[in-house]
C-alpha cells in the first residue's frame, strides 16, 4: 500500500527573518524568507522593530508559501513553529499565528527547537546536499550561536562545546562594524578576505579549555589594533581592508577548526555537519573540504538556503516529530540545546 503524503506548514520567526515553508514529507514545496532590512541602519537587530516587522510580514509570507506549494490549506496535516530559543517578541508573533491557524484548521501544532532545526536541516531531501549518518558532530555557527553538538539520533543530541561569550557571527559582525562595513558584516568580510593576505596581521587565539569557544577577546584585540594603527595612519583601514579581513577570517577559521579537530579526537566521530548563517563562509567551507581531502573528516555542508534562519529547517523537524508522533508529547524531548548561554 502506498504511504500517504504528509503536508506540514512551518513558521520561523525567532530573530529577524520571517519565514514560512510547506513540505511534503521531507521535501520542500516552498520556503519563503522575508529578511528585515530595517535593522541595517542600527548595525544589529533591534528586538522591538523585529517583532513589528514579523507582524507585518507573517500573513503575506504564509500565503505565499501555501500558494507556491500549490496546495490548499485544508490539505495540511500539521503546523510546526519555532518555540525557541530566540527573541521573545519575535517568537510570540510566529507562535500566536501558528496556534491560531492550527486551531482554525483543527490540526496538530508541533513546537520545534530552533537549534535542533539548524542541525536537522541536513535531512531535508534535496539533491544539492547529502544526509549524514548517525552519530555525527553538528556545528551550529551563526550570529546568535556557536555550538558543537554530538548528534546520536534525530532527537538525541548533546551540546559538548559552546561559546562562553560572543557567537562566531557576532565576532564577524562586530569587527566588521569597526571596519565600517555594513551590517551584517560577515559576507562582506568573506568577500574582501578573498583578495587579501591572511598572514599579514596576527591576532592571537583565545585560550579556552575543552571544546568551548570565546570570541570577545578577538573583538577587543581587533579594536586595539585598529586604534593603534589608525592613530599612526588615519587611512589605515581603507588602505588595508582586504588584508585585515583576510587575517581576521583566517584567525576565526583557525579557532573553529582547532575545536572541531579536538571534538573529533574526543568523540571519535569524524562526520562534521555545519549549519547556521556563518556556514556560508568560504574560509570555513574550504578548510572543511581541505580536511576532508586529507581524510581527517567527512564534511556535510548544507545548501545555503537551509543554512541561514529559514522555515524549511523547522518543517523537517516538524515532519520527523509528526511521523514519530512526538508532537503528542512535546515534553518527551531531552533537549539540552537551548542552554542559558545561547541567545537564539
Ligand atoms: O543563521 P543566521 O542567518 O541568523 C542567526 O544569527 O541566527 O546567521 C547570520 C549570521 C550573521 O552574523 C552574518 O554576518 C553571518 O551569519 N554570515 C557570514 C557569512 N554569511 C552570513 N559570516 C561569515 N561569512 C559569510 N559568508
Ligand atoms: Zn539560527
Amino acid at each position: 500500500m502506498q504511504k500517504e503524503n504528509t503536508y506540514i506548514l512551518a513558521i520561523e520567526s525567532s530573530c529577524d527573518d520571517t519565514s514560512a515553508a510547506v513540505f511534503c514529507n521531507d521535501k520542500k514545496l516552498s520556503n519563503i524568507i522575508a529578511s528585515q532590512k530595517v535593522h541595517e541602519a542600527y548595525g544589529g537587530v533591534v528586538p522591538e522593530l523585529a517583532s513589528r516587522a514579523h507582524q507585518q510580514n507573517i500573513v503575506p509570507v504564509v500565503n505565499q508559501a501555501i500558494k507556491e506549494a500549490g496546495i490548499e490549506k485544508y490539505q495540511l496535516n500539521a503546523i510546526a513553529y519555532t518555540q525557541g530559543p530566540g527573541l521573545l517578541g519575535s517568537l510570540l508573533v510566529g507562535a500566536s499565528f501558528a496556534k491560531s491557524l492550527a486551531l482554525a484548521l483543527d490540526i496538530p501544532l508541533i513546537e520545534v527547537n530552533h537549534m535542533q532545526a539548524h542541525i536537522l536541516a541536513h535531512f531535508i531531501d534535496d539533491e544539492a546536499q547529502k544526509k549524514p549518518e548517525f552519530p555525527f558532530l553538528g556545528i551550529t555557527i551563526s550570529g546568535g550561536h556557536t555550538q558543537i553538538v554530538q548528534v546520536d539520533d534525530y532527537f538525541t543530541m548533546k551540546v559538548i562545546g559552546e561559546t562562553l561569550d560572543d557567537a562566531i557571527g557576532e565576532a564577524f559582525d562586530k569587527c566588521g562594524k569597526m571596519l565600517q562595513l555594513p551590517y551584517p558584516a560577515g559576507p562582506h568580510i568573506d568577500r574582501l578576505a578573498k583578495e587579501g593576505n591572511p598572514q599579514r596581521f596576527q591576532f592571537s587565539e583565545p585560550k579556552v579549555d575543552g571544546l568551548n569557544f570565546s570570541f570577545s577577546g578577538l573583538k577587543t584585540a581587533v579594536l586595539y589594533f585598529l586604534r593603534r594603527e589608525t592613530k599612526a595612519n588615519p587611512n589605515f583601514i581603507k588602505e588595508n581592508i582586504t588584508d585585515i579581513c583576510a587575517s581576521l577570517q583566517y584567525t576565526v577559521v583557525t579557532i573553529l577548526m582547532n575545536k572541531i579537530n579536538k571534538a573529533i579526537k574526543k568523540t571519535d566521530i569524524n562526520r562534521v555537519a555545519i549549519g547556521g548563517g556563518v556556514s556560508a563562509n568560504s574560509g570555513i567551507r574550504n578548510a572543511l573540504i581541505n580536511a576532508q581531502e586529507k581524510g581527517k573528516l567527512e564534511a556535510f555542508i548544507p545548501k545555503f538556503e537551509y543554512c541561514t534562519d529559514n522555515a524549511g529547517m523547522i518543517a523537517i523537524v516538524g515532519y520527523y516529530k509528526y511521523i514519530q508522533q512526538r508532537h503528542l508529547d512535546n515534553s518527551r524531548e531531552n533537549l539540552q540545546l537551548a542552554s542559558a548561554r545561547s541567545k537564539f
Side-chain angles (χ1 to χ4, degrees), residues 12 14-17 45 114 118 141-145 167-173 183-191 194 249 275-284 304 307-310 313 344:
E12 151 67 30
S14 64
C15 189
D16 60 339
D17 295 299
V45 177
H114 180 91
H118 270 304
I141 41 177
S142 82
H145 27 75
I168 188 166
E170 225 175 332
F172 273 114
D173 296 340
Y183 175 85
H188 297 281
I189 293 178
D190 192 2
R191 177 177 46 82
K194 287 187 183 124
Q249 181 163 303
V278 181
S279 34
N281 185 268
S282 61
I284 294 172
F304 183 66
C307 281
T308 52
D309 289 351
N310 72 95
M313 68 182 195
F344 285 66

Side-chain angles (χ1 to χ4, degrees), residues 62 82 169 182 221 278 306 318:
V62 169
T82 307
V278 181
Y306 306 131

Side-chain angles (χ1 to χ4, degrees), residues 66-135:
I66 292 173
K67 195 172 157 202
E68 210 170 274
I71 64 155
E72 300 292 336
K73 281 191 204 67
Y74 68 81
Q75 287 177 269
L76 291 170
N77 294 89
I79 298 181
Y81 75 100
T82 307
Q83 169 261 331
L87 300 171
L88 189 63
S90 293
L91 287 167
L92 275 172
V93 177
S96 327
F97 189 91
K99 283 179 188 175
S100 318
L101 190 56
L103 210 62
L105 296 172
D106 195 20
I107 53 175
L109 182 72
I110 307 175
E111 52 184 53
V112 172
N113 178 289
H114 180 91
M115 301 303 297
Q116 195 172 48
H118 270 304
I119 290 168
L120 295 187
H122 289 273
F123 293 94
I124 296 172
D125 193 41
D126 190 308
E127 58 188 21
Q129 59 180 32
K130 57 176 180 165
K131 300 175 189 175
E133 264 174 45
F134 298 112

